[in-house]
Structures are given as C-alpha cells and as structure tokens.
Amino acid sequence: MKKVWILTMLCISLTACSLASSGNEQESEEDVPASSQKESEQNAADKEGQSSSPEETEQTPADEEKDTASEKTEKDKVLDDGTVEVGEPESLQVVVNKRRKLPEDYTPEDLTVPNVPFYFTEDHPKKQLRKEAARALEKLFDAAEQDGIDLVAASGYRSYDRQKRIYERNVEVYGKEETDTFSAQPGTSEHQTGLAMDVTSAQVAFKLEQSFGETNEGEWLADHAHEHGFIIRYREGAKEITGYMYEPWHLRYVGKDISTDVHEQAVTLEEFFGLYPSDE
C-alpha cells in the first residue's frame, strides 16, 4: 500500500517538519490543526441548523445497538463539577465529549498497530487503535486504494497523561479559549478510547486542516467511511453540539450498523444517542 510517491512525499514532509525535534514539541504541533486559525470563519458556519432525526420505525439491528448504548448511560457517574464520568468506557459506542469524560486510569486492553501507512516512521503509541477498529481501518484504507485514494494515518490512541501534556502546552501557546476549540482537556478526548484516528493526505502536506475535506481523500471519506464502521465525528456546523469545530480528518469507529445510521441521518453522535450538551 505504501506507494513510492507517498514514501517520497513522506520523506520530504518529515524533513520539512524537522521531526528530529523533541517529543513535547512534536506532540504540540501534531495536535494543533492548521484550521484552528480559522475559528472566526467557522463560528459563522456553526450557526447553521442541524438535521433532526427521522421518526422511529420498526426496530433494526442498529436500533438495538442504540438502545443498548442508551442503557449504558445508567452506569455513568456525575462528578462534583457537573461533568459525567462514563460508566462503560470500553463500549464501542461510548460518547466522549467536553461534558462526558473517561476515567483517568482508563487504558484499552487490546491496542494494536493497524497495517496502514503513517506520515512518520518511528514507533509511537499514537499509531495504535483498539483491535476491531484497527482491522476496520485496514479495510477502509484498502478500499480507498482500490478507488485511487491515498490516505495516510496521523494520530490514534492518546493516553490521559499525554493529553494533559498536549493540552497544557496548547494553553500556554494559544490561550485556554482558543485551545478549547480544537484540543481536548485530559479525559475528554476520543483518542483515549482507542477508537479514533486522524487521517490526512499529501494534498494537504500531511497536515490536519479543514481544507482536507475538499480534497479527493476528504470527499471519499465523507462518502465511504461509514461503510467500514467509521463516522466523521466532528461534522461541519455542529460545534454547538459536539463542542469542536469541523474536523474532516477525525475518524471515529462505532461499528457498521451505527455508522450507517449516523451517516444516513446526517447527525452527530450526540444527536443519535440523545446526549445533548446540558449547559450550552
């Protein structure tokens, strides 16, 4: 899958980005989307209305999964600050956002490295995904390649401690208000679930920026990611619900039944499970 031209581009990108820099610098740069500088433009788009869910019909396998996921919220724990600690962080349908946190000590037990091309060559925990999500990502990349689409993985699993380092560094550089539009506070990142992977392409110089959504790769993902169990987690115009600006590069694994329903209904994961923000 690692075509010669991709490898050439990767080498150029690695040199240009000075990947020999320190670990903390690399983590900070990696998790600051270039599109974070376009927050004022995105705010206007965020005011657009969201699609409502269709009326309920005869129960399907996806509906059964949805019911099960809803029942799992009964095990959630409300913390002193009003946020929620999710009760079943290992669920493939777990909903994590600024109001719904993972336990600080949660680490997936089945992390593995998917056999897909990455924009960097060194071993790093951010290459990892949970096993089921990793196998699904491999199939997604294979399908993309068959359609002439060249995807590159950028960042997957992120531990609580690493989130903390990245978030604190971003606050120092960008300030808390701006940082909160693109960087998750410790415990509130989907990356800690091991079910999320950021992807990119040579067309955007392997960066994480909103223009990726307009590339062949970004458009292909928007149309086909659900066929392999993934959704584009942070939809355009949904910041008031998800808490984050549009991220066409952020894939979240939820399983084919759920991903298909979410895609067809054109809703966020919060809308699909009825878990709307309570303070916004």
Side-chain angles (χ1 to χ4, degrees):
M1 295 176 61
K2 299 182 180 178
K3 297 181 179 179
V4 174
W5 73 272
I6 294 182
L7 293 176
T8 301
M9 290 297 295
L10 294 182
C11 291
I12 295 174
S13 178
L14 293 175
T15 301
C17 295
S18 300
L19 291 182
S21 60
S22 68
N24 287 340
E25 292 176 344
Q26 180 179 347
E27 289 175 345
S28 179
E29 293 173 359
E30 164 206 331
D31 294 277
V32 180
S35 54
S36 68
Q37 303 303 319
K38 303 177 182 179
E39 178 65 10
S40 59
E41 298 176 10
Q42 184 62 24
N43 284 339
D46 289 336
K47 295 180 180 179
E48 299 177 1
Q50 300 299 310
S51 301
S52 60
S53 301
E55 295 181 0
E56 294 184 0
T57 57
E58 182 177 352
Q59 193 174 59
T60 65
D63 292 327
E64 295 174 359
E65 289 285 355
K66 182 177 179 180
D67 290 342
T68 300
S70 298
E71 292 172 0
K72 290 178 180 178
T73 62
E74 297 177 0
K75 298 182 180 181
D76 292 347
K77 177 182 178 182
V78 179
L79 304 178
D80 292 339
D81 62 0
T83 59
V84 173
E85 182 177 275
V86 298
E88 296 196 11
E90 72 281 357
S91 169
L92 294 179
Q93 287 83 42
V94 64
V95 178
V96 178
N97 53 36
K98 293 182 178 181
R99 300 295 300 171
R100 296 178 53 80
K101 301 178 179 179
L102 292 164
E104 181 175 343
D105 60 353
Y106 175 67
T107 301
E109 297 181 353
D110 57 347
L111 291 171
T112 187
V113 178
N115 184 23
V116 299
F118 285 82
Y119 83 91
F120 56 95
T121 58
E122 66 271 23
D123 291 332
H124 197 289
K126 67 184 178 183
K127 281 187 173 182
Q128 298 177 323
L129 281 177
R130 287 183 57 184
K131 187 174 182 179
E132 183 173 334
R135 299 294 84 84
L137 189 73
E138 292 169 354
K139 293 178 180 178
L140 182 150
F141 269 56
D142 286 342
E145 185 177 29
Q146 291 175 15
D147 287 346
I149 299 298
D150 296 292
L151 296 170
V152 179
S155 184
Y157 173 67
R158 202 172 296 158
S159 69
Y160 181 95
D161 288 340
R162 185 160 169 262
Q163 291 175 58
K164 188 173 185 292
R165 293 196 303 271
I166 292 172
Y167 181 80
E168 291 176 347
R169 173 62 186 276
N170 286 338
V171 169
E172 289 178 2
V173 177
Y174 300 95
K176 187 177 187 304
E177 183 176 356
E178 182 175 351
T179 294
D180 285 342
T181 68
F182 65 85
S183 183
Q185 294 188 31
T188 67
S189 171
E190 282 198 330
H191 286 280
Q192 189 182 345
T193 68
L195 299 172
M197 177 64 76
D198 293 335
V199 298
T200 184
S201 71
Q203 289 194 52
V204 290
F206 309 111
K207 296 179 181 179
L208 302 180
E209 60 182 28
Q210 290 179 349
S211 62
F212 173 71
E214 301 171 1
T215 65
N216 293 336
E217 289 78 13
E219 292 177 351
W220 186 92
L221 280 175
D223 291 336
H224 298 284
H226 71 281
E227 297 170 0
H228 304 278
F230 291 90
I231 62 172
I232 306 299
R233 179 65 173 94
Y234 303 117
R235 297 174 57 84
E236 189 168 11
K239 180 185 172 186
E240 295 305 314
I241 296 174
T242 65
Y244 295 98
M245 60 187 180
Y246 174 45
E247 294 189 1
W249 62 82
H250 184 105
L251 295 178
R252 162 65 195 276
Y253 183 75
V254 292
K256 288 185 181 180
D257 289 333
I258 299 297
S259 65
T260 298
D261 271 9
V262 169
H263 175 78
E264 292 178 351
Q265 295 176 26
V267 294
T268 64
L269 206 57
E270 283 83 1
E271 291 172 293
F272 185 77
F273 286 122
L275 297 171
Y276 295 87
S278 60
D279 61 337
E280 296 183 4

